[in-house]
Amino acid sequence: PTHGSWASPIIFEAAGKTQIITLALPLVMGSSLADGNELWRAELMEGEITPSPIFAAGLVMAINPASKLFALRPDGAGDVTKSHLAWTVEESLPDITSPVSNGDLVFTVTTGGLLTCFDAKDGKMVWQKDLELEVQSSPAIVGHRLLVLNTKGEVVWVEAGREFKELSRAKLDDKFHASPAIANGHIYLRGATNLWCLGGKK
């Protein structure tokens, strides 16, 4: 009972169930993987939904591009709009990219390159830095590092910690809009003209 959405669903174990989480105007919905039945819903979405949800620190986190980043406890039933809302943030919100988390911290980056770190437990801002880049790819965490890829091929590595520390920058001769994929010790980046693989040979 929703509109269309650009957000990808996620699957995880919580409250003794394997849940599928979907975002689409106007709902965040938790459904059972076993039979597809709805477990819970929260009416928190507005506008065109592009960022995908994540599951971290026991919470479903999602971005409503029109107004907020929020976290929900996934152990409810029925309408949990008010009862299971753990925290909300209402500034520095991406409209395209998805958040990413290491379980302790949550990172977001706006199209204009504003990188923000939040505490996953309560949503409080830990730090913020303007990278002065145009970004349409979601950030990724690789080990203890955060990868931010801009549209013109700049690869920025930042320490995924409670203090901002830029580690390095590199330039790839391509344009990027897709988000990084990580598998088997390698990072794959889909550019406009090439597929790039970063990582040592095995």
Side-chain angles (χ1 to χ4, degrees):
T2 62
H3 292 257
S5 172
W6 295 100
S8 299
I10 58 171
I11 299 175
F12 59 84
E13 298 281 341
K17 303 179 184 71
T18 304
Q19 303 190 28
I20 307 170
I21 306 301
T22 55
L23 306 182
L25 181 71
L27 300 174
V28 183
M29 295 179 63
S31 303
S32 168
L33 180 64
D35 54 21
N37 288 333
E38 180 183 308
L39 300 171
W40 54 266
R41 63 168 62 192
E43 191 168 337
L44 292 167
M45 307 308 296
E46 301 172 69
E48 187 169 8
I49 311 304
T50 303
S52 299
I54 62 171
F55 180 67
L59 299 168
V60 175
M61 301 177 193
I63 293 172
N64 174 346
S67 64
K68 61 178 73 72
L69 163 66
F70 59 85
L72 284 163
R73 296 185 299 276
D75 58 353
D79 187 345
V80 300
T81 305
K82 296 181 180 179
S83 61
H84 283 64
L85 189 63
W87 52 258
T88 61
V89 174
E90 298 183 359
E91 57 185 34
S92 307
L93 302 175
D95 58 348
I96 296 176
T97 64
S98 305
V100 68
S101 176
N102 61 5
D104 177 44
L105 303 169
V106 180
F107 301 92
T108 63
V109 61
T110 66
T111 305
L114 185 62
L115 178 63
T116 307
C117 172
F118 301 97
D119 192 304
K121 293 180 181 177
D122 55 21
K124 291 183 179 179
M125 184 187 296
V126 178
W127 52 258
Q128 190 173 71
K129 179 68 175 180
D130 188 353
L131 298 178
E132 300 181 353
L133 302 170
E134 181 183 354
V135 180
Q136 295 186 8
S137 305
S138 298
I141 291 178
V142 183
H144 299 291
R145 299 177 298 164
L146 180 72
L147 167 63
V148 179
L149 175 66
N150 94 322
T151 56
K152 295 182 179 180
E154 286 187 77
V155 180
V156 181
W157 289 100
V158 174
E159 190 171 293
R162 289 187 171 270
E163 293 185 7
F164 173 80
K165 183 179 180 181
E166 184 173 318
L167 302 174
S168 65
R169 291 195 186 209
K171 182 73 168 64
L172 302 178
D173 187 19
D174 211 334
K175 296 185 183 299
F176 295 89
H177 303 280
S179 300
I182 302 165
N184 300 319
H186 291 76
I187 302 166
Y188 298 92
L189 307 174
R190 181 169 61 84
T193 57
N194 293 283
L195 176 65
W196 301 74
C197 177
L198 308 182
K201 294 182 179 179
K202 289 191 173 181

